[in-house]
mmCIF file of all heavy atoms in Angstrom:
data_model
loop_
_atom_site.group_PDB
_atom_site.id
_atom_site.type_symbol
_atom_site.label_atom_id
_atom_site.label_comp_id
_atom_site.label_asym_id
_atom_site.label_seq_id
_atom_site.Cartn_x
_atom_site.Cartn_y
_atom_site.Cartn_z
ATOM 1 N N THR A 1 116.043 101.487 91.127
ATOM 2 C CA THR A 1 115.538 102.875 91.275
ATOM 3 C C THR A 1 114.738 103.254 90.045
ATOM 4 O O THR A 1 114.982 102.796 88.943
ATOM 5 C CB THR A 1 116.611 103.877 91.546
ATOM 6 O OG1 THR A 1 117.587 103.818 90.467
ATOM 7 C CG2 THR A 1 117.356 103.570 92.829
ATOM 8 N N ASP A 2 113.833 104.199 90.229
ATOM 9 C CA ASP A 2 113.068 104.742 89.056
ATOM 10 C C ASP A 2 113.909 105.823 88.412
ATOM 11 O O ASP A 2 115.055 106.095 88.787
ATOM 12 C CB ASP A 2 111.747 105.252 89.513
ATOM 13 C CG ASP A 2 111.775 106.437 90.501
ATOM 14 O OD1 ASP A 2 112.863 106.976 90.703
ATOM 15 O OD2 ASP A 2 110.693 106.809 91.017
ATOM 16 N N LYS A 3 113.341 106.470 87.435
ATOM 17 C CA LYS A 3 114.150 107.501 86.668
ATOM 18 C C LYS A 3 114.477 108.707 87.516
ATOM 19 O O LYS A 3 115.395 109.463 87.167
ATOM 20 C CB LYS A 3 113.396 107.885 85.420
ATOM 21 C CG LYS A 3 111.887 108.218 85.545
ATOM 22 C CD LYS A 3 111.278 108.377 84.221
ATOM 23 C CE LYS A 3 109.771 108.245 84.379
ATOM 24 N NZ LYS A 3 109.037 108.250 83.136
ATOM 25 N N ASN A 4 113.796 108.886 88.639
ATOM 26 C CA ASN A 4 114.126 109.999 89.570
ATOM 27 C C ASN A 4 115.112 109.630 90.617
ATOM 28 O O ASN A 4 115.434 110.464 91.490
ATOM 29 C CB ASN A 4 112.875 110.591 90.193
ATOM 30 C CG ASN A 4 111.893 111.202 89.136
ATOM 31 O OD1 ASN A 4 112.326 111.678 88.118
ATOM 32 N ND2 ASN A 4 110.605 111.038 89.391
ATOM 33 N N GLY A 5 115.561 108.350 90.680
ATOM 34 C CA GLY A 5 116.440 107.891 91.647
ATOM 35 C C GLY A 5 115.845 107.391 92.907
ATOM 36 O O GLY A 5 116.504 107.066 93.851
ATOM 37 N N ASN A 6 114.507 107.324 92.967
ATOM 38 C CA ASN A 6 113.762 106.843 94.151
ATOM 39 C C ASN A 6 113.774 105.324 94.094
ATOM 40 O O ASN A 6 113.644 104.710 92.976
ATOM 41 C CB ASN A 6 112.374 107.337 94.149
ATOM 42 C CG ASN A 6 112.253 108.839 94.208
ATOM 43 O OD1 ASN A 6 113.058 109.463 94.937
ATOM 44 N ND2 ASN A 6 111.296 109.433 93.487
ATOM 45 N N PRO A 7 113.876 104.630 95.252
ATOM 46 C CA PRO A 7 113.863 103.159 95.256
ATOM 47 C C PRO A 7 112.519 102.582 94.789
ATOM 48 O O PRO A 7 111.447 103.168 95.087
ATOM 49 C CB PRO A 7 114.129 102.801 96.695
ATOM 50 C CG PRO A 7 113.886 104.035 97.466
ATOM 51 C CD PRO A 7 114.046 105.222 96.559
ATOM 52 N N LEU A 8 112.567 101.525 94.062
ATOM 53 C CA LEU A 8 111.413 100.823 93.637
ATOM 54 C C LEU A 8 111.086 99.725 94.599
ATOM 55 O O LEU A 8 111.958 99.016 95.075
ATOM 56 C CB LEU A 8 111.576 100.228 92.219
ATOM 57 C CG LEU A 8 111.569 101.213 91.065
ATOM 58 C CD1 LEU A 8 111.859 100.457 89.790
ATOM 59 C CD2 LEU A 8 110.256 101.915 90.955
ATOM 60 N N TYR A 9 109.761 99.509 94.880
ATOM 61 C CA TYR A 9 109.367 98.514 95.836
ATOM 62 C C TYR A 9 108.545 97.434 95.223
ATOM 63 O O TYR A 9 107.851 97.670 94.164
ATOM 64 C CB TYR A 9 108.605 99.164 96.959
ATOM 65 C CG TYR A 9 109.430 99.992 97.916
ATOM 66 C CD1 TYR A 9 109.674 101.313 97.615
ATOM 67 C CD2 TYR A 9 110.066 99.391 98.955
ATOM 68 C CE1 TYR A 9 110.494 102.068 98.421
ATOM 69 C CE2 TYR A 9 110.893 100.144 99.804
ATOM 70 C CZ TYR A 9 111.122 101.461 99.536
ATOM 71 O OH TYR A 9 111.885 102.237 100.350
ATOM 72 N N VAL A 10 108.490 96.242 95.814
ATOM 73 C CA VAL A 10 107.667 95.183 95.358
ATOM 74 C C VAL A 10 106.794 94.749 96.563
ATOM 75 O O VAL A 10 107.282 94.791 97.732
ATOM 76 C CB VAL A 10 108.509 93.958 94.832
ATOM 77 C CG1 VAL A 10 109.427 93.408 95.894
ATOM 78 C CG2 VAL A 10 107.570 92.863 94.296
ATOM 79 N N CYS A 11 105.625 94.324 96.286
ATOM 80 C CA CYS A 11 104.700 93.929 97.381
ATOM 81 C C CYS A 11 104.049 92.584 96.994
ATOM 82 O O CYS A 11 103.428 92.457 95.967
ATOM 83 C CB CYS A 11 103.638 94.927 97.610
ATOM 84 S SG CYS A 11 102.617 94.601 99.056
ATOM 85 N N ASN A 12 104.285 91.571 97.773
ATOM 86 C CA ASN A 12 103.698 90.257 97.518
ATOM 87 C C ASN A 12 102.599 90.034 98.534
ATOM 88 O O ASN A 12 102.697 90.296 99.709
ATOM 89 C CB ASN A 12 104.741 89.099 97.742
ATOM 90 C CG ASN A 12 105.901 89.230 96.698
ATOM 91 O OD1 ASN A 12 105.631 89.187 95.522
ATOM 92 N ND2 ASN A 12 107.127 89.379 97.192
ATOM 93 N N ILE A 13 101.435 89.531 97.955
ATOM 94 C CA ILE A 13 100.244 89.274 98.805
ATOM 95 C C ILE A 13 99.674 87.937 98.454
ATOM 96 O O ILE A 13 99.913 87.377 97.346
ATOM 97 C CB ILE A 13 99.224 90.336 98.650
ATOM 98 C CG1 ILE A 13 98.688 90.425 97.215
ATOM 99 C CG2 ILE A 13 99.655 91.671 99.171
ATOM 100 C CD1 ILE A 13 97.505 91.392 97.009
ATOM 101 N N SER A 14 98.978 87.317 99.369
ATOM 102 C CA SER A 14 98.276 86.089 99.175
ATOM 103 C C SER A 14 96.788 86.337 99.393
ATOM 104 O O SER A 14 96.431 86.923 100.410
ATOM 105 C CB SER A 14 98.808 84.995 100.177
ATOM 106 O OG SER A 14 98.058 83.831 100.000
ATOM 107 N N VAL A 15 95.944 85.952 98.429
ATOM 108 C CA VAL A 15 94.523 86.237 98.496
ATOM 109 C C VAL A 15 93.752 84.923 98.456
ATOM 110 O O VAL A 15 94.059 84.080 97.576
ATOM 111 C CB VAL A 15 94.157 87.127 97.260
ATOM 112 C CG1 VAL A 15 92.630 87.377 97.248
ATOM 113 C CG2 VAL A 15 94.893 88.446 97.296
ATOM 114 N N ALA A 16 92.809 84.814 99.412
ATOM 115 C CA ALA A 16 91.908 83.690 99.376
ATOM 116 C C ALA A 16 90.607 84.051 98.735
ATOM 117 O O ALA A 16 89.999 85.036 99.081
ATOM 118 C CB ALA A 16 91.648 83.212 100.822
ATOM 119 N N VAL A 17 90.181 83.243 97.736
ATOM 120 C CA VAL A 17 88.951 83.540 97.017
ATOM 121 C C VAL A 17 87.975 82.460 97.377
ATOM 122 O O VAL A 17 88.148 81.273 97.166
ATOM 123 C CB VAL A 17 89.245 83.537 95.496
ATOM 124 C CG1 VAL A 17 87.972 83.761 94.723
ATOM 125 C CG2 VAL A 17 90.285 84.588 95.161
ATOM 126 N N ASN A 18 86.797 82.898 97.892
ATOM 127 C CA ASN A 18 85.742 81.981 98.338
ATOM 128 C C ASN A 18 84.975 81.623 97.067
ATOM 129 O O ASN A 18 84.425 82.486 96.330
ATOM 130 C CB ASN A 18 84.819 82.680 99.325
ATOM 131 C CG ASN A 18 83.845 81.749 99.901
ATOM 132 O OD1 ASN A 18 83.734 80.569 99.533
ATOM 133 N ND2 ASN A 18 83.072 82.217 100.885
ATOM 134 N N LYS A 19 84.834 80.320 96.819
ATOM 135 C CA LYS A 19 84.207 79.832 95.590
ATOM 136 C C LYS A 19 82.709 79.336 95.891
ATOM 137 O O LYS A 19 82.078 78.775 95.027
ATOM 138 C CB LYS A 19 84.967 78.655 94.959
ATOM 139 C CG LYS A 19 86.314 79.125 94.419
ATOM 140 C CD LYS A 19 86.071 79.963 93.246
ATOM 141 C CE LYS A 19 87.337 80.270 92.520
ATOM 142 N NZ LYS A 19 87.162 81.020 91.282
ATOM 143 N N GLY A 20 82.204 79.511 97.119
ATOM 144 C CA GLY A 20 80.868 79.122 97.401
ATOM 145 C C GLY A 20 80.875 78.159 98.562
ATOM 146 O O GLY A 20 81.877 77.734 99.089
ATOM 147 N N LYS A 21 79.595 77.770 98.965
ATOM 148 C CA LYS A 21 79.381 76.984 100.151
ATOM 149 C C LYS A 21 80.084 75.604 100.055
ATOM 150 O O LYS A 21 80.757 75.179 101.029
ATOM 151 C CB LYS A 21 77.910 76.737 100.360
ATOM 152 C CG LYS A 21 77.206 77.952 100.924
ATOM 153 C CD LYS A 21 75.789 77.621 101.190
ATOM 154 C CE LYS A 21 75.050 78.803 101.723
ATOM 155 N NZ LYS A 21 73.671 78.517 102.056
ATOM 156 N N ASN A 22 79.951 74.866 98.975
ATOM 157 C CA ASN A 22 80.395 73.516 98.854
ATOM 158 C C ASN A 22 81.848 73.422 98.188
ATOM 159 O O ASN A 22 82.299 72.310 98.017
ATOM 160 C CB ASN A 22 79.454 72.651 98.097
ATOM 161 C CG ASN A 22 78.103 72.579 98.805
ATOM 162 O OD1 ASN A 22 78.067 72.575 100.058
ATOM 163 N ND2 ASN A 22 77.014 72.490 98.060
ATOM 164 N N ASN A 23 82.412 74.564 97.849
ATOM 165 C CA ASN A 23 83.686 74.550 97.169
ATOM 166 C C ASN A 23 84.740 75.151 98.122
ATOM 167 O O ASN A 23 84.520 76.169 98.747
ATOM 168 C CB ASN A 23 83.663 75.366 95.900
ATOM 169 C CG ASN A 23 82.695 74.769 94.884
ATOM 170 O OD1 ASN A 23 82.550 73.550 94.795
ATOM 171 N ND2 ASN A 23 82.028 75.616 94.105
ATOM 172 N N PRO A 24 85.906 74.526 98.183
ATOM 173 C CA PRO A 24 86.973 75.107 99.017
ATOM 174 C C PRO A 24 87.524 76.430 98.420
ATOM 175 O O PRO A 24 87.380 76.625 97.230
ATOM 176 C CB PRO A 24 88.063 74.074 99.020
ATOM 177 C CG PRO A 24 87.817 73.261 97.775
ATOM 178 C CD PRO A 24 86.321 73.301 97.505
ATOM 179 N N ALA A 25 88.055 77.245 99.264
ATOM 180 C CA ALA A 25 88.674 78.494 98.807
ATOM 181 C C ALA A 25 89.891 78.202 97.955
ATOM 182 O O ALA A 25 90.608 77.220 98.163
ATOM 183 C CB ALA A 25 89.001 79.384 99.956
ATOM 184 N N GLU A 26 90.118 79.115 97.006
ATOM 185 C CA GLU A 26 91.347 79.022 96.177
ATOM 186 C C GLU A 26 92.297 80.129 96.664
ATOM 187 O O GLU A 26 91.841 81.192 97.013
ATOM 188 C CB GLU A 26 91.050 79.123 94.740
ATOM 189 C CG GLU A 26 90.276 77.946 94.174
ATOM 190 C CD GLU A 26 90.032 78.150 92.702
ATOM 191 O OE1 GLU A 26 90.586 79.023 92.079
ATOM 192 O OE2 GLU A 26 89.302 77.279 92.130
ATOM 193 N N PHE A 27 93.545 79.867 96.620
ATOM 194 C CA PHE A 27 94.579 80.865 97.028
ATOM 195 C C PHE A 27 95.413 81.279 95.929
ATOM 196 O O PHE A 27 95.876 80.426 95.141
ATOM 197 C CB PHE A 27 95.432 80.260 98.190
ATOM 198 C CG PHE A 27 94.621 79.901 99.456
ATOM 199 C CD1 PHE A 27 94.056 78.598 99.529
ATOM 200 C CD2 PHE A 27 94.446 80.828 100.408
ATOM 201 C CE1 PHE A 27 93.261 78.305 100.643
ATOM 202 C CE2 PHE A 27 93.692 80.492 101.509
ATOM 203 C CZ PHE A 27 93.103 79.229 101.650
ATOM 204 N N TYR A 28 95.730 82.547 95.819
ATOM 205 C CA TYR A 28 96.534 83.097 94.781
ATOM 206 C C TYR A 28 97.601 83.976 95.391
ATOM 207 O O TYR A 28 97.348 84.776 96.267
ATOM 208 C CB TYR A 28 95.661 83.998 93.845
ATOM 209 C CG TYR A 28 94.631 83.226 93.083
ATOM 210 C CD1 TYR A 28 93.355 83.079 93.595
ATOM 211 C CD2 TYR A 28 94.915 82.556 91.926
ATOM 212 C CE1 TYR A 28 92.384 82.362 92.940
ATOM 213 C CE2 TYR A 28 93.983 81.829 91.190
ATOM 214 C CZ TYR A 28 92.689 81.715 91.734
ATOM 215 O OH TYR A 28 91.706 81.007 91.073
ATOM 216 N N ASN A 29 98.873 83.839 94.886
ATOM 217 C CA ASN A 29 99.944 84.674 95.265
ATOM 218 C C ASN A 29 100.117 85.715 94.208
ATOM 219 O O ASN A 29 100.384 85.375 93.011
ATOM 220 C CB ASN A 29 101.244 83.851 95.490
ATOM 221 C CG ASN A 29 101.119 82.929 96.642
ATOM 222 O OD1 ASN A 29 100.572 83.273 97.670
ATOM 223 N ND2 ASN A 29 101.627 81.697 96.450
ATOM 224 N N LEU A 30 99.999 86.993 94.592
ATOM 225 C CA LEU A 30 100.048 88.079 93.616
ATOM 226 C C LEU A 30 101.200 89.021 93.922
ATOM 227 O O LEU A 30 101.642 89.120 95.077
ATOM 228 C CB LEU A 30 98.785 88.941 93.705
ATOM 229 C CG LEU A 30 97.448 88.117 93.663
ATOM 230 C CD1 LEU A 30 96.279 89.060 93.881
ATOM 231 C CD2 LEU A 30 97.265 87.346 92.358
ATOM 232 N N THR A 31 101.737 89.701 92.886
ATOM 233 C CA THR A 31 102.869 90.602 93.059
ATOM 234 C C THR A 31 102.556 91.926 92.441
ATOM 235 O O THR A 31 102.006 92.002 91.337
ATOM 236 C CB THR A 31 104.138 90.023 92.389
ATOM 237 O OG1 THR A 31 104.374 88.676 92.920
ATOM 238 C CG2 THR A 31 105.330 90.857 92.600
ATOM 239 N N ALA A 32 102.864 92.972 93.195
ATOM 240 C CA ALA A 32 102.690 94.358 92.706
ATOM 241 C C ALA A 32 104.010 95.085 92.745
ATOM 242 O O ALA A 32 104.813 94.853 93.626
ATOM 243 C CB ALA A 32 101.648 95.107 93.539
ATOM 244 N N PHE A 33 104.222 95.961 91.808
ATOM 245 C CA PHE A 33 105.389 96.783 91.715
ATOM 246 C C PHE A 33 105.098 98.279 91.755
ATOM 247 O O PHE A 33 104.009 98.670 91.379
ATOM 248 C CB PHE A 33 106.206 96.468 90.420
ATOM 249 C CG PHE A 33 106.698 95.076 90.365
ATOM 250 C CD1 PHE A 33 105.988 94.099 89.691
ATOM 251 C CD2 PHE A 33 107.869 94.721 90.974
ATOM 252 C CE1 PHE A 33 106.425 92.762 89.601
ATOM 253 C CE2 PHE A 33 108.373 93.381 90.896
ATOM 254 C CZ PHE A 33 107.666 92.453 90.224
ATOM 255 N N GLY A 34 106.062 99.073 92.140
ATOM 256 C CA GLY A 34 105.938 100.565 92.068
ATOM 257 C C GLY A 34 104.812 101.138 92.882
ATOM 258 O O GLY A 34 104.612 100.818 94.034
ATOM 259 N N ASP A 35 103.977 101.961 92.163
ATOM 260 C CA ASP A 35 102.867 102.619 92.868
ATOM 261 C C ASP A 35 101.786 101.669 93.407
ATOM 262 O O ASP A 35 101.254 101.909 94.485
ATOM 263 C CB ASP A 35 102.181 103.594 91.902
ATOM 264 C CG ASP A 35 103.055 104.779 91.504
ATOM 265 O OD1 ASP A 35 104.033 105.071 92.322
ATOM 266 O OD2 ASP A 35 102.783 105.414 90.441
ATOM 267 N N SER A 36 101.528 100.597 92.687
ATOM 268 C CA SER A 36 100.548 99.594 93.202
ATOM 269 C C SER A 36 101.137 98.944 94.479
ATOM 270 O O SER A 36 100.324 98.711 95.378
ATOM 271 C CB SER A 36 100.271 98.477 92.148
ATOM 272 O OG SER A 36 99.691 99.074 91.052
ATOM 273 N N ALA A 37 102.378 98.662 94.493
ATOM 274 C CA ALA A 37 103.031 98.073 95.744
ATOM 275 C C ALA A 37 102.906 99.042 96.858
ATOM 276 O O ALA A 37 102.528 98.634 98.033
ATOM 277 C CB ALA A 37 104.450 97.704 95.468
ATOM 278 N N ASP A 38 103.230 100.328 96.615
ATOM 279 C CA ASP A 38 103.094 101.310 97.701
ATOM 280 C C ASP A 38 101.676 101.429 98.239
ATOM 281 O O ASP A 38 101.438 101.538 99.427
ATOM 282 C CB ASP A 38 103.570 102.683 97.173
ATOM 283 C CG ASP A 38 105.032 102.768 96.753
ATOM 284 O OD1 ASP A 38 105.806 101.881 97.255
ATOM 285 O OD2 ASP A 38 105.395 103.605 95.924
ATOM 286 N N PHE A 39 100.698 101.432 97.333
ATOM 287 C CA PHE A 39 99.282 101.547 97.656
ATOM 288 C C PHE A 39 98.807 100.408 98.528
ATOM 289 O O PHE A 39 98.186 100.600 99.572
ATOM 290 C CB PHE A 39 98.469 101.682 96.357
ATOM 291 C CG PHE A 39 97.008 101.860 96.610
ATOM 292 C CD1 PHE A 39 96.478 103.117 96.968
ATOM 293 C CD2 PHE A 39 96.116 100.848 96.421
ATOM 294 C CE1 PHE A 39 95.152 103.316 97.184
ATOM 295 C CE2 PHE A 39 94.775 101.027 96.630
ATOM 296 C CZ PHE A 39 94.249 102.246 97.006
ATOM 297 N N ILE A 40 99.203 99.188 98.107
ATOM 298 C CA ILE A 40 98.773 98.002 98.894
ATOM 299 C C ILE A 40 99.378 98.045 100.264
ATOM 300 O O ILE A 40 98.724 97.782 101.289
ATOM 301 C CB ILE A 40 99.193 96.763 98.157
ATOM 302 C CG1 ILE A 40 98.306 96.544 96.893
ATOM 303 C CG2 ILE A 40 98.997 95.461 99.027
ATOM 304 C CD1 ILE A 40 98.788 95.472 95.975
ATOM 305 N N HIS A 41 100.704 98.355 100.334
ATOM 306 C CA HIS A 41 101.382 98.384 101.628
ATOM 307 C C HIS A 41 100.712 99.429 102.552
ATOM 308 O O HIS A 41 100.578 99.206 103.742
ATOM 309 C CB HIS A 41 102.856 98.702 101.443
ATOM 310 C CG HIS A 41 103.586 99.001 102.710
ATOM 311 N ND1 HIS A 41 103.854 98.038 103.613
ATOM 312 C CD2 HIS A 41 104.068 100.180 103.174
ATOM 313 C CE1 HIS A 41 104.510 98.585 104.635
ATOM 314 N NE2 HIS A 41 104.623 99.831 104.372
ATOM 315 N N LYS A 42 100.375 100.532 102.009
ATOM 316 C CA LYS A 42 99.827 101.641 102.826
ATOM 317 C C LYS A 42 98.386 101.390 103.299
ATOM 318 O O LYS A 42 98.032 101.787 104.454
ATOM 319 C CB LYS A 42 99.921 102.987 102.030
ATOM 320 C CG LYS A 42 99.574 104.152 102.851
ATOM 321 C CD LYS A 42 99.829 105.422 101.957
ATOM 322 C CE LYS A 42 99.551 106.682 102.840
ATOM 323 N NZ LYS A 42 99.812 107.880 102.093
ATOM 324 N N TYR A 43 97.560 100.782 102.442
ATOM 325 C CA TYR A 43 96.122 100.754 102.735
ATOM 326 C C TYR A 43 95.512 99.395 102.989
ATOM 327 O O TYR A 43 94.377 99.331 103.338
ATOM 328 C CB TYR A 43 95.382 101.480 101.631
ATOM 329 C CG TYR A 43 95.623 102.933 101.504
ATOM 330 C CD1 TYR A 43 96.398 103.389 100.422
ATOM 331 C CD2 TYR A 43 95.183 103.798 102.473
ATOM 332 C CE1 TYR A 43 96.719 104.756 100.308
ATOM 333 C CE2 TYR A 43 95.534 105.171 102.360
ATOM 334 C CZ TYR A 43 96.285 105.607 101.306
ATOM 335 O OH TYR A 43 96.566 106.944 101.183
#
């Protein structure tokens, strides 16, 4: 929980990055906590 007693959340995402016509996409697993996690989940 945060300092106000609210639960803290984590958000895991996987992002594909296109590197161009002749290059395969690269994949990244990213993690967000707190407000960033809430924002990603919501929008």
Side-chain angles (χ1 to χ4, degrees):
T1 57
D2 64 10
K3 48 189 159 184
N4 297 328
N6 299 321
L8 288 175
Y9 289 89
V10 61
C11 188
N12 295 302
I13 60 173
S14 178
V15 178
V17 177
N18 188 356
K19 293 291 188 177
K21 288 184 179 181
N22 297 327
N23 298 325
E26 291 183 8
F27 297 89
Y28 296 92
N29 294 319
L30 312 176
T31 303
F33 296 95
D35 292 339
S36 295
D38 296 337
F39 183 76
I40 292 169
H41 171 70
K42 187 173 182 180
Y43 295 108

